Amino acid sequence: ANISVAVGKIGNIHNRCGEIEKALKCYQEKLDISQKLGYATGTQQALGNMGLILSESGNYEEARKYFERQLAVSIEADETEGIEGACSGLGKVLLHLGDFENSERYIKQAIAIDIERNLQGDLGSNYCNLAELFIKKGDTAKAREAAGKALAIAREIKDEDLANRAGIFIEIH
Protein backbone atom coordinates (compact mmCIF):
# COMPACT_ATOMS: atom_id res chain seq x y z
CA ALA A 1 0.00 0.00 0.00
CA ASN A 2 2.94 2.37 0.63
CA ILE A 3 3.91 2.43 -3.04
CA SER A 4 0.30 3.21 -3.95
CA VAL A 5 0.35 6.18 -1.56
CA ALA A 6 3.69 7.42 -2.95
CA VAL A 7 2.53 7.20 -6.57
CA GLY A 8 -0.67 9.05 -5.63
CA LYS A 9 1.35 11.84 -4.00
CA ILE A 10 3.44 12.20 -7.17
CA GLY A 11 0.17 12.44 -9.10
CA ASN A 12 -0.98 15.20 -6.74
CA ILE A 13 2.22 17.15 -7.42
CA HIS A 14 1.75 16.82 -11.20
CA ASN A 15 -1.87 17.91 -10.82
CA ARG A 16 -0.93 21.01 -8.80
CA CYS A 17 1.65 21.88 -11.46
CA GLY A 18 -0.97 21.62 -14.19
CA GLU A 19 0.58 18.49 -15.69
CA ILE A 20 -2.75 16.75 -16.18
CA GLU A 21 -1.61 13.86 -18.37
CA LYS A 22 1.22 12.99 -15.98
CA ALA A 23 -1.18 13.21 -13.03
CA LEU A 24 -3.69 10.92 -14.75
CA LYS A 25 -0.91 8.43 -15.53
CA CYS A 26 0.15 8.39 -11.85
CA TYR A 27 -3.43 7.97 -10.66
CA GLN A 28 -3.92 5.11 -13.13
CA GLU A 29 -0.76 3.50 -11.76
CA LYS A 30 -2.06 4.00 -8.20
CA LEU A 31 -5.36 2.44 -9.26
CA ASP A 32 -3.63 -0.58 -10.81
CA ILE A 33 -1.40 -1.13 -7.76
CA SER A 34 -4.25 -0.65 -5.29
CA GLN A 35 -6.54 -3.05 -7.13
CA LYS A 36 -3.78 -5.66 -7.35
CA LEU A 37 -3.19 -5.35 -3.58
CA GLY A 38 -6.89 -5.24 -2.71
CA TYR A 39 -6.33 -1.79 -1.18
CA ALA A 40 -9.81 -0.23 -1.27
CA THR A 41 -8.75 3.17 0.08
CA GLY A 42 -6.14 3.60 -2.63
CA THR A 43 -8.56 2.36 -5.28
CA GLN A 44 -11.31 4.80 -4.35
CA GLN A 45 -8.83 7.68 -3.99
CA ALA A 46 -7.35 7.04 -7.44
CA LEU A 47 -10.80 6.82 -9.02
CA GLY A 48 -11.87 10.03 -7.28
CA ASN A 49 -8.73 11.91 -8.32
CA MET A 50 -9.19 10.82 -11.92
CA GLY A 51 -12.85 11.86 -11.79
CA LEU A 52 -11.91 15.30 -10.44
CA ILE A 53 -9.31 15.92 -13.14
CA LEU A 54 -11.70 14.85 -15.89
CA SER A 55 -14.49 16.97 -14.42
CA GLU A 56 -12.25 20.03 -14.15
CA SER A 57 -11.26 19.45 -17.79
CA GLY A 58 -14.93 19.47 -18.82
CA ASN A 59 -15.03 15.75 -19.64
CA TYR A 60 -18.16 15.17 -17.54
CA GLU A 61 -19.32 11.87 -19.02
CA GLU A 62 -15.93 10.26 -18.45
CA ALA A 63 -15.67 11.80 -14.96
CA ARG A 64 -19.09 10.39 -14.13
CA LYS A 65 -17.84 6.85 -14.83
CA TYR A 66 -14.92 7.27 -12.43
CA PHE A 67 -17.10 8.74 -9.68
CA GLU A 68 -19.62 5.90 -10.10
CA ARG A 69 -16.80 3.37 -9.75
CA GLN A 70 -15.45 5.26 -6.74
CA LEU A 71 -18.88 5.15 -5.14
CA ALA A 72 -19.27 1.40 -5.74
CA VAL A 73 -15.81 0.62 -4.32
CA SER A 74 -16.36 2.92 -1.34
CA ILE A 75 -19.76 1.44 -0.49
CA GLU A 76 -18.39 -2.10 -0.72
CA ALA A 77 -15.45 -1.22 1.55
CA ASP A 78 -17.57 0.99 3.85
CA GLU A 79 -15.24 3.95 3.15
CA THR A 80 -17.26 6.99 4.22
CA GLU A 81 -14.65 9.44 2.90
CA GLY A 82 -14.85 7.86 -0.53
CA ILE A 83 -18.65 7.80 -0.46
CA GLU A 84 -18.70 11.53 0.37
CA GLY A 85 -16.18 12.35 -2.36
CA ALA A 86 -17.99 10.26 -4.96
CA CYS A 87 -21.39 11.77 -4.07
CA SER A 88 -19.96 15.27 -4.21
CA GLY A 89 -18.25 14.57 -7.55
CA LEU A 90 -21.32 12.91 -9.04
CA GLY A 91 -23.50 15.79 -7.88
CA LYS A 92 -21.29 18.34 -9.60
CA VAL A 93 -20.86 16.30 -12.80
CA LEU A 94 -24.57 15.55 -13.08
CA LEU A 95 -25.29 19.25 -12.57
CA HIS A 96 -23.16 20.02 -15.63
CA LEU A 97 -24.86 17.22 -17.57
CA GLY A 98 -28.29 18.67 -16.75
CA ASP A 99 -29.50 15.76 -14.59
CA PHE A 100 -30.72 18.04 -11.80
CA GLU A 101 -32.75 15.43 -9.93
CA ASN A 102 -29.85 13.02 -9.43
CA SER A 103 -27.41 15.89 -8.94
CA GLU A 104 -29.48 17.17 -6.02
CA ARG A 105 -29.78 13.68 -4.54
CA TYR A 106 -26.00 13.13 -4.59
CA ILE A 107 -25.15 16.62 -3.31
CA LYS A 108 -27.58 16.18 -0.41
CA GLN A 109 -26.02 12.77 0.39
CA ALA A 110 -22.59 14.41 0.49
CA ILE A 111 -23.95 17.20 2.71
CA ALA A 112 -25.40 14.65 5.14
CA ILE A 113 -22.00 12.94 5.44
CA ASP A 114 -20.24 16.30 5.82
CA ILE A 115 -22.59 17.23 8.67
CA GLU A 116 -22.24 13.83 10.34
CA ARG A 117 -18.44 13.95 10.16
CA ASN A 118 -18.13 17.71 10.78
CA LEU A 119 -16.27 18.30 7.51
CA GLN A 120 -16.84 22.06 7.38
CA GLY A 121 -14.82 22.83 4.24
CA ASP A 122 -16.49 20.07 2.24
CA LEU A 123 -19.87 21.08 3.64
CA GLY A 124 -19.39 24.66 2.49
CA SER A 125 -18.31 23.53 -0.95
CA ASN A 126 -21.31 21.23 -1.27
CA TYR A 127 -23.65 24.03 -0.21
CA CYS A 128 -22.13 26.07 -3.06
CA ASN A 129 -22.81 23.17 -5.43
CA LEU A 130 -26.39 23.08 -4.16
CA ALA A 131 -26.70 26.86 -4.70
CA GLU A 132 -25.47 26.45 -8.29
CA LEU A 133 -27.98 23.66 -8.84
CA PHE A 134 -30.87 25.77 -7.55
CA ILE A 135 -29.80 28.67 -9.78
CA LYS A 136 -29.88 26.38 -12.81
CA LYS A 137 -33.33 25.17 -11.71
CA GLY A 138 -34.49 28.78 -11.38
CA ASP A 139 -35.07 28.65 -7.61
CA THR A 140 -33.20 31.73 -6.45
CA ALA A 141 -34.60 31.63 -2.90
CA LYS A 142 -33.17 28.16 -2.28
CA ALA A 143 -29.94 29.18 -4.04
CA ARG A 144 -29.50 32.14 -1.68
CA GLU A 145 -30.26 29.94 1.33
CA ALA A 146 -27.63 27.35 0.33
CA ALA A 147 -25.08 30.05 -0.54
CA GLY A 148 -25.79 31.75 2.80
CA LYS A 149 -24.98 28.52 4.63
CA ALA A 150 -21.75 28.19 2.63
CA LEU A 151 -20.80 31.78 3.41
CA ALA A 152 -21.42 31.29 7.14
CA ILE A 153 -19.17 28.22 7.11
CA ALA A 154 -16.52 30.08 5.11
CA ARG A 155 -16.46 32.85 7.70
CA GLU A 156 -16.34 30.35 10.56
CA ILE A 157 -13.38 28.44 9.12
CA LYS A 158 -11.78 31.56 7.59
CA ASP A 159 -11.77 30.17 4.04
CA GLU A 160 -11.52 33.12 1.66
CA ASP A 161 -11.93 31.07 -1.53
CA LEU A 162 -15.11 29.46 -0.22
CA ALA A 163 -16.40 32.87 0.92
CA ASN A 164 -15.79 34.32 -2.53
CA ARG A 165 -17.53 31.38 -4.23
CA ALA A 166 -20.54 31.59 -1.91
CA GLY A 167 -20.65 35.37 -2.18
CA ILE A 168 -20.88 35.20 -5.95
CA PHE A 169 -24.05 33.12 -5.73
CA ILE A 170 -25.58 35.57 -3.28
CA GLU A 171 -24.63 38.74 -5.20
CA ILE A 172 -25.40 37.67 -8.76
CA HIS A 173 -28.62 35.84 -8.09
Side-chain angles (χ1 to χ4, degrees):
N2 287 341
I3 193 160
S4 169
V5 172
V7 171
K9 288 184 180 196
I10 293 168
N12 293 343
I13 292 167
H14 285 303
N15 189 21
R16 284 190 199 105
C17 292
E19 299 168 340
I20 303 306
E21 291 304 317
K22 288 181 181 179
L24 283 171
K25 185 177 178 187
C26 286
Y27 294 144
Q28 182 62 54
E29 187 176 344
K30 176 179 179 143
L31 177 62
D32 294 342
I33 293 167
S34 296
Q35 287 178 321
K36 191 177 287 187
L37 296 174
Y39 179 47
T41 299
T43 299
Q44 68 86 2
Q45 287 172 344
L47 291 166
N49 286 338
M50 294 168 84
L52 284 172
I53 287 177
L54 292 165
S55 177
E56 290 167 2
S57 303
N59 192 343
Y60 302 118
E61 279 296 341
E62 197 65 24
R64 176 185 190 168
K65 294 174 189 173
Y66 282 96
F67 288 130
E68 286 172 344
R69 287 176 58 199
Q70 179 189 20
L71 183 58
V73 168
S74 298
I75 289 171
E76 184 177 321
D78 197 27
E79 292 255 348
T80 307
E81 179 184 326
I83 294 169
E84 189 279 341
C87 287
S88 181
L90 278 166
K92 188 76 171 167
V93 164
L94 292 170
L95 171 65
H96 288 291
L97 292 173
D99 184 351
F100 299 149
E101 184 179 326
N102 284 313
S103 173
E104 185 173 348
R105 180 171 57 89
Y106 281 117
I107 292 169
K108 286 182 175 179
Q109 281 182 272
I111 286 172
I113 293 169
D114 295 338
I115 290 169
E116 179 184 312
R117 301 200 57 189
N118 197 30
L119 302 172
Q120 294 298 301
D122 291 341
L123 180 60
S125 181
N126 279 311
Y127 275 129
C128 282
N129 292 342
L130 196 59
E132 185 178 353
L133 169 73
F134 288 135
I135 287 167
K136 289 192 177 195
K137 288 175 71 173
D139 192 336
T140 55
K142 284 186 178 179
R144 279 194 188 104
E145 179 184 346
K149 289 178 181 181
L151 188 56
I153 291 167
R155 288 177 176 149
E156 181 182 322
I157 64 172
K158 298 175 178 42
D159 185 329
E160 190 174 321
D161 291 334
L162 179 59
N164 289 335
R165 187 172 169 217
I168 288 170
F169 291 121
I170 292 172
E171 289 174 22
I172 292 177
H173 306 281

